[in-house]
Amino acid sequence: MTIPFLDLGAAYHELKTEIDTAIHRVLDSGWYILGLEVEAFEAEWANYCSANHSVSLANGLDALILALRALDIGPGDEVIVPSNTYIATWLAVTAVGARPVPVEPDPTSHNIDPTRIAAAITPRTRALLPVHLYGQPADLDPILLVARQHNLLVIEDAAQAHGARYKGRRIGAHGDVVCWSFYPGKNLGALGDGGAVTTNNSDLADRIRVLSNYGSRIKYVNELKGVNSRLDPIQAAVLRTKLVHLDAWTNRRRVIAAAYNEGLKDSGLILPHVPDWADPAWHLYVIRSSDRDGLQKRLNAAGISTLIHYPIPPHMQDAYADLGIAPNDMPLARQLASDVLSLPIGPQLPLTDADRVINLVSLAAQ
């Protein structure tokens, strides 16, 4: 019996009647770009995130790029990013012509280490771009403090953190702007691509909205050089349906994570560390092993699907060879890339399957 890493089909079938009804509502409306369905989702998502505004977009990368553009970050500017993250974080910075400046992670959380940020700031630094990796909140208070001390902007990459809480407050409006992805595999996932930003800054929200719609707020009147990055109303309807269930599905993830924590505590593997102030969304459950590749092969042979998040750090990708960062310049990111392994986790994973994962991981780790 194979245990998939994430069963998206099961997620759809659990809500099939609700999702199908929502899709047909859009089809019957005859309105297929923007409109009331998208506006309703934006209002509901902003409310969920305790933010004043939400602007929906075509995908998570666009959310990062348009946030940077709306804040006038571009050529000649530097943006501090984690060395340990998915490459989209870096791609957004270079897409606007700025330079990503990587900072190493805290090895216990895998998130950017706030104590290392100040040393990376230069006169060209304009913003900090922390990532809430794996659904684990970054330590925002010291990040926001150093940003205030140096008059810097804070743009949060929350692509994996739907429903996560930092010191009791949901991720969504701590920094200047928070960027989201609704890729199908996310905790709140569409049936295709989707993204959004949340913010308490009304002017910033308005600017991102205009940029996302050809630079226009009135048809055929273009005040900015914009792009076409709009959330499809069908995807908005799907997201509205799933949002109602997000907290319940997050709680299921927490139950599985707790089972893994207990069942694997004597396995010899390095398990996720959760600070007292964090309430993760458990987008991923990431372990570390000095024999990661061997462990993955043994689990695959036993029918357990796993993934590596991420096998090559951004600074070691050919795409960023021009930055001149040597592989060993970011030793922590490089080490994590060789050690980390993500186990199956998702709201549709039966606890019996989680128990089987625990037993097989324990055996494979010996």
Side-chain angles (χ1 to χ4, degrees):
M1 182 181 67
T2 298
I3 297 177
F5 181 76
L6 180 66
D7 192 342
L8 293 178
Y12 165 65
H13 286 291
E14 181 177 332
L15 302 180
K16 177 177 169 52
T17 300
E18 294 174 60
I19 290 174
D20 289 355
T21 298
I23 290 173
H24 282 288
R25 181 175 69 237
V26 177
L27 296 178
D28 290 339
S29 75
W31 195 286
Y32 306 130
I33 296 291
L34 299 177
L36 296 178
E37 199 75 45
V38 173
E39 293 171 9
F41 170 68
E42 289 177 340
E44 291 160 8
W45 183 237
N47 180 66
Y48 181 85
C49 296
S50 299
N52 291 341
H53 307 280
S54 173
V55 181
S56 58
L57 301 162
N59 55 69
L61 180 55
D62 280 0
L64 290 164
I65 292 172
L66 292 179
L68 290 161
R69 282 195 60 189
L71 292 167
D72 293 320
I73 294 172
D77 294 331
E78 294 178 351
V79 178
I80 291 178
V81 296
S83 63
N84 180 53
T85 184
Y86 182 55
I87 198 170
T89 313
W90 289 43
L91 290 174
V93 175
T94 51
V96 300
R99 181 184 178 91
V101 176
V103 167
E104 287 273 75
D106 176 336
T108 61
S109 71
H110 302 192
N111 276 319
I112 192 169
D113 186 343
T115 67
R116 296 174 179 263
I117 291 175
I121 295 172
T122 75
R124 291 188 171 187
T125 306
R126 288 286 313 284
L128 312 180
L129 211 172
V131 178
H132 304 296
L133 197 64
Y134 316 147
Q136 297 265 14
D139 194 358
L140 287 170
D141 281 353
I143 292 172
L144 293 167
L145 177 60
V146 73
R148 287 194 295 269
Q149 290 172 338
H150 294 270
N151 195 29
L152 301 175
L153 299 159
V154 176
I155 303 162
E156 299 172 56
D157 183 339
Q160 301 179 357
H162 313 73
R165 293 177 184 268
Y166 177 72
K167 296 187 177 179
R169 179 182 165 195
R170 276 203 188 108
I171 297 298
H174 290 80
D176 293 282
V177 61
V178 184
C179 303
W180 303 91
S181 167
F182 302 122
Y183 180 80
K186 303 300 185 184
N187 289 31
L188 181 63
L191 298 183
D193 267 322
V197 298
T198 50
T199 180
N200 285 336
N201 185 322
S202 58
D203 291 337
L204 180 58
D206 180 68
R207 186 170 170 83
I208 293 172
R209 190 180 301 281
V210 172
L211 282 169
S212 72
N213 190 39
Y214 297 99
S216 172
R217 68 180 79 241
I218 301 171
K219 195 168 186 178
Y220 304 130
V221 179
N222 302 81
E223 57 194 82
L224 298 171
K225 296 182 180 71
V227 297
N228 176 8
S229 181
R230 302 177 298 208
L231 182 67
D232 188 286
I234 290 177
Q235 301 301 346
V238 171
L239 291 168
R240 292 183 69 195
T241 301
K242 288 188 172 184
L243 180 55
V244 175
H245 301 273
L246 179 57
D247 284 345
W249 283 13
T250 301
N251 285 334
R252 293 187 201 172
R253 290 175 178 270
R254 290 181 178 129
V255 170
I256 294 167
Y260 282 165
N261 287 340
E262 179 62 26
L264 296 174
K265 64 183 181 182
D266 298 320
S267 65
L269 301 166
I270 299 176
L271 305 183
H273 170 74
V274 180
D276 292 340
W277 44 257
D279 192 1
W282 292 109
H283 174 62
L284 299 173
Y285 187 93
V286 180
I287 60 175
R288 292 181 63 189
S289 169
S290 58
D291 182 31
R292 188 273 309 286
D293 293 342
L295 176 60
Q296 185 178 40
K297 289 178 181 178
R298 292 189 290 275
L299 290 174
N300 184 62
I304 306 299
S305 298
T306 60
L307 292 175
I308 299 170
H309 297 89
Y310 298 95
I312 305 174
H315 79 281
M316 293 175 61
Q317 298 279 6
D318 289 345
Y320 286 107
D322 62 312
L323 293 181
I325 304 173
N328 287 332
D329 287 350
M330 298 289 143
L332 290 175
R334 189 177 187 185
Q335 185 64 53
L336 288 173
S338 69
D339 290 351
V340 295
L341 186 66
S342 301
L343 301 182
I345 191 168
Q348 283 71 43
L349 182 70
L351 284 176
T352 52
D353 283 0
D355 288 338
R356 185 164 177 260
V357 172
I358 291 167
N359 292 334
L360 291 171
V361 169
S362 297
L363 287 172
Q366 293 178 358

